[in-house]
Amino acid sequence: EVEVVESGGGSVQPGGSLRLSCVGSGFRFFNYYIYWVRQAPGKDLEWVSTISGGGGVTYYGDSVKGRFTASRDNGKNTVYLQMNNLRPEDTGVYYCVKDPEASSSWVRPPLKTDFGVWGQGTQVTVSS
């Protein structure tokens, strides 16, 4: 079964840091782009970041650029999202999304839950 599982969420104060992890299984992990997408309470899905299969290419949404960093360890089938200088507006559920095709290379993926494989999400809360 193909799946991705997120972890690492939690509650932090503004200015704090968290590192999210996304572990994939059931597919050739290194072949696939992985995306991070978040959803704040009462708001639409928002694309956060993209990382290529080899990890050498990354893209970020304007709201997180310079604060978040995506990386991956293909030996561990894991993608990370290092989040620094967190703000209250970063609060939400963070999802890891596997691209449906090994040859695909979206900068910003379609924000549809039927696109690719989604994890169950991990909650991030930034509050003083």
Side-chain angles (χ1 to χ4, degrees):
E1 179 185 2
V2 175
E3 67 174 359
V4 291
V5 179
E6 308 93 336
S7 62
S11 295
V12 295
Q13 293 186 338
S17 297
L18 283 173
R19 188 177 78 159
L20 306 184
S21 298
C22 168
V23 178
S25 61
F27 61 100
R28 291 190 173 190
F29 191 76
F30 59 88
N31 276 351
Y32 290 84
Y33 273 47
I34 299 291
Y35 312 97
W36 287 98
V37 175
R38 69 185 180 187
Q39 187 166 33
K43 295 192 176 182
D44 293 334
L45 293 169
E46 178 188 8
W47 166 67
V48 174
S49 77
T50 295
I51 186 165
S52 62
V57 177
T58 54
Y59 302 103
Y60 301 95
D62 288 342
S63 62
V64 306
K65 202 173 295 183
R67 300 187 298 122
F68 290 13
T69 303
S71 62
R72 66 194 294 162
D73 183 341
N74 286 335
K76 296 182 179 180
N77 281 10
T78 302
V79 166
Y80 304 99
L81 185 67
Q82 178 66 44
M83 306 187 297
N84 297 330
N85 192 21
L86 283 161
R87 304 168 180 169
E89 54 265 39
D90 294 317
T91 294
V93 179
Y94 283 69
Y95 298 95
C96 169
V97 183
K98 167 195 168 293
D99 197 291
E101 297 182 14
S103 60
S104 186
S105 59
W106 296 88
V107 173
R108 299 179 56 166
L111 295 179
K112 303 182 297 181
T113 55
D114 61 354
F115 173 83
V117 176
W118 291 61
Q120 82 289 350
T122 186
Q123 176 70 45
V124 171
T125 302
V126 185
S127 174
S128 55

